[in-house]
Amino acid sequence: MMTTNKQVFALSFITLLLAGCSPSSDVKANRSLDDYKGSASITQGLATTVKTNLFECENGRSRVAGIGEIPDADGKVWTVPAQNHFTTAPKAADLYEECANITPNSIADVDEDSVPVAVIDSDGEEITGYIFADNYFELYINGQLIAVDTVPFTPFNSSIVKFKVSKPYTIAVKVIDWEENLGLGTEDNRGKAFHPGDGGFIASFSDGTVTGSDWQAQTFYTAPIYDLSCLSEVDGDNLEKLRLSENCTTEGTDNGENAYAAHWETPNNWMAKDFDATSWPQATEYSEDDIGVNNKKSYMNFIEKFSGAGASFIWSTNVVLDNEVLLRYEVK
Ligand SMILES: [Ca+2]
Ligand SMILES: [Ca+2]
Ligand SMILES: [Ca+2]
C-alpha cells in the first residue's frame, strides 16, 4: 500500500513530538530515513573513493571522474555513480574528442570507413550509430557490449559506432550522469560546491532508428535528495512503478555533504535481448535547450546526425537527479 503525503506528514509530526521540540540534525536525519517507505535503498553522505580518476585529458581540462562505494543501513555496498566497464570494454570511435585532438568541423571531415564493425550477425545489416551522452554511455546490441564512451565525465565528446546485426534487434544503453562529489550526485558548478548536474542521451542509427519517447528508461540512482519525502513511486498501466523525484529540489547548495541518495539494484540481465522490459516506463524527451548543448561543438558540429535526423534527447523522468539510467529499444 502506498503511503500518502498526509500519512508521511502525520508520522513526521508525531516523531517530531516524540523527539522534542528542537531535534538535533541527527534526529532529523534519522526521522527522515525511518519514514521512508519506498522501494529504494538509501545512503547518506559522501562515498569512499575507490578509484580516484578514470580519465586524464591530455589537451585541456576535464572533471575528475572517480568511482566510490557507500553502504546503506543494511550494510549493502553501492557503487557510485554506477558500476561500469570503462577500463575494460572496447571504446567507441570518436566523432569529437578534444582531449585526443579529434575536432572535426562536420561529419564530412570524419573518416567513417575507419570505424571498426562489431559483428553480431555475420549476415546482418551494417549499421552506423552516432551518439552524444551527458556524460557517459555503454552500448549493448542484443546483450553484447559493443562500445563505451571514451570520456566518462567532461569535456563533452561524441562517438560513432558500427555493428552488423539482423532485425529484429535490441539496443540497451547504460547512461551515467557523472558526479564529482561521489555519492552526493553533485559537482562544483554554477557558483555552488554541490550543484546537481544534468544528464541527457541522444543517438541516431543509419537504419532510421532514433532516440525518442518510444524508448524505455528506468532510473537506478537518484541524488542529491535533501528530504526523502520528496520521493514517490506511482503505478502506471502495465508499468513497473515510476520512480519519481519531481518534488525534490534541484537547487545547488554550499552545504550538500549530508545529502541522501536513492539506489535500486539493476537486474543482472537487463541488457539481454530476451529481457522483459515491457514494464519499464517510457523515456522522457528533453529539448536541446534543456540539456544545454547549443555551445557544445561535439554536438553542434554533427547536429544533422542528432536532432537533424529526427532524434530527441531522452532520459528518465528527472534529467537532473536521476544519475544512472538504463535505456532499452527494440528495432523491429
Ligand atoms: Ca562522454
Ligand atoms: Ca545529476
Ligand atoms: Ca552531467
Side-chain angles (χ1 to χ4, degrees):
M1 197 183 79
M2 296 283 293
T3 307
T4 66
N5 285 338
K6 268 183 187 168
Q7 284 171 316
V8 168
F9 181 78
L11 278 170
S12 303
F13 186 67
I14 290 164
T15 315
L16 190 65
L17 287 176
L18 290 172
C21 291
S22 52
S24 71
S25 58
D26 278 344
V27 170
K28 190 178 173 191
N30 288 336
R31 186 186 73 219
S32 303
L33 191 51
D34 286 347
D35 284 350
Y36 176 70
K37 301 290 187 243
S39 64
S41 295
I42 304 295
T43 60
Q44 186 180 20
L46 194 65
T48 301
T49 300
V50 294
K51 182 84 185 172
T52 307
N53 192 6
L54 293 176
F55 179 78
E56 296 282 352
C57 184
E58 301 293 329
N59 307 288
R61 293 168 48 157
S62 65
R63 287 184 185 273
V64 171
I67 302 281
E69 288 182 350
I70 184 166
D72 62 26
D74 295 327
K76 179 176 167 57
V77 174
W78 296 86
T79 299
V80 288
Q83 292 185 334
N84 64 82
H85 297 94
F86 179 77
T87 56
T88 54
K91 298 287 194 300
D94 292 309
L95 266 184
Y96 192 100
E97 210 280 76
E98 296 169 46
C99 300
N101 270 333
I102 299 170
T103 57
N105 289 318
S106 73
I107 193 69
D109 296 335
V110 175
D111 179 12
E112 297 194 55
D113 291 340
S114 69
V115 176
V117 180
V119 177
I120 294 134
D121 299 314
S122 55
D123 58 348
E125 178 186 351
E126 186 179 302
I127 295 164
T128 305
Y130 307 88
I131 301 171
F132 175 95
D134 181 345
N135 296 95
Y136 174 79
F137 73 89
E138 300 191 333
L139 173 70
Y140 294 83
I141 302 294
N142 285 354
Q144 184 176 323
L145 184 54
I146 299 301
V148 304
D149 200 335
T150 53
V151 183
F153 202 168
T154 66
F156 289 95
N157 63 307
S158 49
S159 306
I160 177 169
V161 296
K162 286 186 178 180
F163 51 89
K164 205 170 198 182
V165 70
S166 303
K167 290 178 182 174
Y169 68 94
T170 299
I171 303 173
V173 188
K174 174 183 281 194
V175 278
I176 302 174
D177 177 30
W178 220 278
E179 58 194 23
E180 261 174 352
N181 304 313
L182 296 171
L184 300 174
T186 50
E187 62 199 38
D188 185 349
N189 205 344
R190 314 267 171 110
K192 298 290 183 186
F194 301 90
H195 169 81
D198 65 357
F201 179 80
I202 190 167
S204 81
F205 298 84
S206 57
D207 63 353
T209 302
V210 292
T211 48
S213 58
D214 51 352
W215 287 49
Q216 286 162 298
Q218 181 63 294
T219 182
F220 291 85
Y221 171 45
T222 301
I225 305 297
Y226 298 108
D227 175 354
L228 290 169
S229 68
C230 69
L231 293 172
S232 63
E233 295 172 50
V234 297
D235 290 315
D237 294 337
N238 297 317
L239 292 180
E240 190 167 87
K241 281 186 192 297
L242 268 165
R243 298 163 181 171
L244 296 175
S245 50
E246 60 194 352
N247 295 325
C248 304
T249 183
T250 56
E251 293 293 311
T253 174
D254 285 323
N255 305 296
E257 358 0 42
N258 294 320
Y260 294 106
H263 310 260
W264 292 267
E265 189 128 30
T266 57
N268 277 334
N269 60 337
W270 69 271
M271 74 292 282
K273 184 176 165 70
D274 62 359
F275 177 77
D276 181 7
T278 50
S279 68
W280 282 14
Q282 298 300 118
T284 303
E285 292 187 4
Y286 298 89
S287 71
E288 289 166 338
D289 279 350
D290 291 336
I291 309 299
V293 286
N294 295 341
N295 62 350
K296 294 183 172 68
K297 289 182 178 175
S298 53
Y299 179 82
M300 296 302 288
N301 288 7
F302 317 96
I303 194 167
E304 71 200 82
K305 295 298 185 186
F306 297 123
S307 61
S312 297
F313 275 98
I314 57 171
W315 202 255
S316 57
T317 55
N318 195 325
V319 76
V320 176
L321 299 183
D322 293 342
N323 303 316
E324 180 190 13
V325 172
L326 301 183
L327 306 169
R328 282 182 59 102
Y329 184 75
E330 187 184 7
V331 180
K332 308 270 191 221

